[in-house]
Amino acid sequence: MRKVIVNEFMSLDGVAQAPGGADEDTSGGFAHGGWHMRYMEDEAAQRWVLGSIVEAGGFLLGRRTYEIFAAYWPNAPEEEQVIAEPLNSKPKYVVSTTLAEPLKWQSSTLVDGDVAAAVAALKEGDGGDLHVIGSTELVQMLIEHDLVDEFRLMLDPVVLGGGKRIFRDDGLLRALQLIDGQVTSTGAFLATYAPAA
């Protein structure tokens, strides 16, 4: 059975919104876009991120993340092809109520209707693990339906004071166990958690 593995860059106060660039996602008045990039200067962090992308059997993406990636990775510069090639070539399952088939980015398939049931069916299928990148609303739904098998979180030593999070304020206790962790030279923590038994 395939796992669903959530990959997120997070601040210490749990924000995962717009880690990569100033204009990535300003919804809700978010003014700190690009907050994460200085923490990627560490070689261990770069290897950790690349390792997840390379090992993925496919990707689950929300609409906003899909649109950002589809606009950039098919035309990425040569020095970024080590990341671009697996992102471009591997299967991508895109959750959206507004997009329509055919999706323009190669190897992309639309997931609509009962998303929880569709993801559960994907987990039963053949192939490598499915990795979720970004896609905060999708991750919230996956957590709600107990479909996440692993969280790979790069926790950056910064507090953003507000923004989109993957963990809802729903009053439910969800215990996790630390599978692996290391501290980078920039003070970020590379943590792999799984739901506790």
Side-chain angles (χ1 to χ4, degrees), residues 57-133:
F59 301 97
L60 276 171
L61 303 172
R63 179 196 53 82
R64 185 185 301 272
T65 301
Y66 168 81
E67 289 178 339
I68 291 168
F69 281 17
Y72 183 79
W73 291 112
N75 303 303
E78 185 61 36
E79 63 270 15
E80 293 182 343
Q81 286 304 305
V82 66
I83 296 172
E85 193 282 325
L87 285 173
N88 287 326
S89 63
K90 292 183 180 190
K92 291 164 286 291
Y93 304 96
V94 184
V95 175
S96 174
T97 58
T98 58
L99 296 176
E101 295 275 17
L103 297 177
K104 292 181 182 177
W105 193 13
Q106 72 183 67
S107 305
S108 296
T109 304
L110 186 63
V111 176
D112 56 6
D114 186 339
V115 175
V119 172
L122 285 170
K123 287 179 70 167
E124 293 291 335
D126 294 330
D129 294 335
L130 299 169
H131 286 240
V132 186
I133 301 173

Side-chain angles (χ1 to χ4, degrees), residues 22-44:
D23 297 326
E24 183 178 334
D25 179 3
T26 58
S27 63
F30 189 73
H32 303 298
W35 54 270
H36 165 74
M37 297 315 294
R38 66 178 145 180
Y39 303 106
M40 282 303 296
E41 294 172 6
D42 179 87
E43 286 185 22

Side-chain angles (χ1 to χ4, degrees), residues 153-194:
L153 308 176
M154 183 169 175
L155 301 168
D156 295 341
V158 62
V159 175
L160 299 173
K164 295 178 182 175
R165 293 172 165 83
I166 64 168
F167 298 108
R168 287 187 173 141
D169 293 331
D170 59 10
L172 295 178
L173 184 135
R174 292 179 174 90
L176 303 174
Q177 61 182 9
L178 182 66
I179 304 299
D180 188 38
Q182 70 181 73
V183 178
T184 72
S185 63
T186 60
F189 184 54
L190 308 176
T192 301
Y193 293 98

Side-chain angles (χ1 to χ4, degrees), residues 113-147:
D114 186 339
V115 175
V119 172
L122 285 170
K123 287 179 70 167
E124 293 291 335
D126 294 330
D129 294 335
L130 299 169
H131 286 240
V132 186
I133 301 173
S135 309
T136 55
E137 290 180 28
L138 171 59
V139 171
Q140 288 177 351
M141 186 278 303
L142 294 171
I143 292 169
E144 180 182 329
H145 291 278
D146 295 320
L147 290 167

Side-chain angles (χ1 to χ4, degrees), residues 8-20:
E8 294 288 345
F9 305 132
M10 286 177 53
S11 67
L12 286 183
D13 55 343
V15 175
Q17 184 171 355

